[in-house]
């Protein structure tokens, strides 16, 4: 029995293709759930839009999933946005006390394929202490482990020329 599908979330960026997770029989994928939920909260609308711009513009179009922007390792996943002050060319990426965390996986540490999961409000110093994101972080780590296992076992293959992941049968539908 399949538990979740790995599907394209956005493939229009110049530098990076984004995937996401959809639970079996779910209407919305995990990344859309995150952005829809926090965009609807007035106090978090600006932060949500900044994070969406970071993902689509900075990572997707401008720089790709480079180490400098994926510098917040949290076990099997990376927390977005980046931590600290990061200067790339003339741009400074700094998100002090940023209220949201979105979890991501750079597939095989590539700069051009990323899986986005869900996330939440970062309300404490650690993920374990942040009530809103603790479960989402654990869930993202489990998804990441399963995806990495499928890559190692050949259930998922990478078409690097097209920034795509495919099932072993070379189908775009990936069920894990």
């Amino acid at each position: 029995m399949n538990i979740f599908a790995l599907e394209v979330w956005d493939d229009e960026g110049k530098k990076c293709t984004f995937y996401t997770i959809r639970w079996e029989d779910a209407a919305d994928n995990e990344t859309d759930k995150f952005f829809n939920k926090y965009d609807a909260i007035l106090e978090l609308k600006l932060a949500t839009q900044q994070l969406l711009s970071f993902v689509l513009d900075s990572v997707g179009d401008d720089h790709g999933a480079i180490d400098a922007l994926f510098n917040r390792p949290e076990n099997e996943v990376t927390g977005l946005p980046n931590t600290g002050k990061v200067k790339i060319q003339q741009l400074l990426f700094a998100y002090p006390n940023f209220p949201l965390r979105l979890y991501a996986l750079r597939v095989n540490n590539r700069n051009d394929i990323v899986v986005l999961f869900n996330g939440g409000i970062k309300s404490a110093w650690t993920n374990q202490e942040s009530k809103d994101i603790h479960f989402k972080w654990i869930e993202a780590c489990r998804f990441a482990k399963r995806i990495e296992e499928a890559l190692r076992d050949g259930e998922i293959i990478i078409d690097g020329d097209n920034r795509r992941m495919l099932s072993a049968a070379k189908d775009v539908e990936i069920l894990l």
Side-chain angles (χ1 to χ4, degrees):
M1 176 187 236
N2 297 315
I3 298 172
F4 66 89
L6 189 59
E7 62 185 34
V8 173
W9 184 71
D10 182 275
D11 63 354
E12 296 178 11
K14 296 174 192 162
K15 300 272 185 167
C16 190
T17 298
F18 296 99
Y19 282 80
T20 189
I21 299 299
R22 182 184 305 270
W23 284 106
E24 188 175 45
D25 300 325
D28 294 320
N29 66 59
E30 291 301 297
T31 306
D32 285 347
K33 286 179 188 177
F34 171 85
F35 283 112
N36 291 337
K37 178 179 181 177
Y38 295 105
D39 191 56
I41 300 171
L42 185 60
E43 301 82 31
L44 295 171
K45 191 170 192 67
L46 179 60
T48 305
Q49 291 170 354
Q50 288 173 328
L51 187 53
L52 182 60
S53 176
F54 173 81
V55 168
L56 294 176
D57 299 333
S58 300
V59 177
D61 270 337
D62 299 335
H63 307 289
I66 60 175
D67 291 342
L69 299 179
F70 279 67
N71 69 357
R72 190 188 300 270
E74 300 186 16
N75 290 4
E76 291 81 9
V77 296
T78 299
L80 298 177
N82 60 279
T83 185
K85 294 179 181 179
V86 174
K87 189 171 184 179
I88 301 173
Q89 297 163 354
Q90 300 299 320
L91 295 174
L92 179 65
F93 293 89
Y95 299 92
N97 304 312
F98 198 76
L100 297 173
R101 200 69 83 242
L102 176 65
Y103 296 108
L105 171 68
R106 286 188 343 172
V107 174
N108 287 350
N109 287 321
R110 298 173 58 103
N111 295 342
D112 61 350
I113 302 175
V114 170
V115 180
L116 298 172
F117 302 108
N118 204 323
I121 298 171
K122 180 73 185 232
S123 60
W125 185 252
T126 68
N127 290 335
Q128 293 86 345
E129 296 168 343
S130 293
K131 180 182 171 189
D132 188 57
I133 63 171
H134 181 70
F135 177 71
K136 293 299 180 190
W137 170 65
I138 289 172
E139 184 178 71
C141 288
R142 288 181 180 155
F143 282 136
K145 283 180 184 177
R146 178 65 184 105
I147 292 165
E148 288 174 338
E149 174 186 293
L151 285 161
R152 275 191 310 275
D153 293 347
E155 290 177 72
I156 299 174
I157 56 175
I158 295 176
D159 175 1
D161 294 336
N162 296 307
R163 294 186 340 219
R164 294 269 185 215
M165 290 189 289
L166 304 167
S167 71
K170 298 199 177 173
D171 189 1
V172 294
E173 184 176 50
I174 302 171
L175 302 173
L176 299 173

